[in-house]
Amino acid sequence: MTPEHCRAARGWLGWSQNDLSTRSNVGLSTIRSFENGLRTPIANNLLAMRRAFEEAGITLTDEPAGITYSAASEKNGTGIAP
């Protein structure tokens, strides 16, 4: 996952960085630093962020667009954290 993928997925879902932090249990400063290109999170944090997106119906791919969305698999993709 790239910082651009992360920002795009959040935008698609209407999530703030804080929403992603809450849903993935990854620190807000880690998400901010990642999206600003300042550092790459450890593998476990990247996996947790990816999992949060997948649970909301976002799939990050290697295709040119990089992101697919499936409303059928969405559990709670609103901007409101669980």
Side-chain angles (χ1 to χ4, degrees), residues 3 6-7 10 16-39 41 45 49 53:
C6 190
R7 284 191 303 271
R10 281 192 315 98
S16 67
Q17 289 178 333
N18 192 55
D19 291 327
L20 177 56
S21 175
T22 300
R23 291 169 183 272
S24 64
N25 201 29
V26 172
L28 181 57
S29 64
T30 298
I31 293 169
R32 284 184 181 149
S33 294
F34 176 57
E35 289 190 357
N36 288 325
L38 300 175
R39 70 177 191 174
N45 286 344
M49 291 162 52
F53 288 136

Side-chain angles (χ1 to χ4, degrees), residues 13 17-18 32 44 60 63 68 78 81:
L13 293 167
Q17 289 178 333
N18 192 55
R32 284 184 181 149
N44 285 344
L60 302 171
E63 299 299 317
T68 60
T78 66

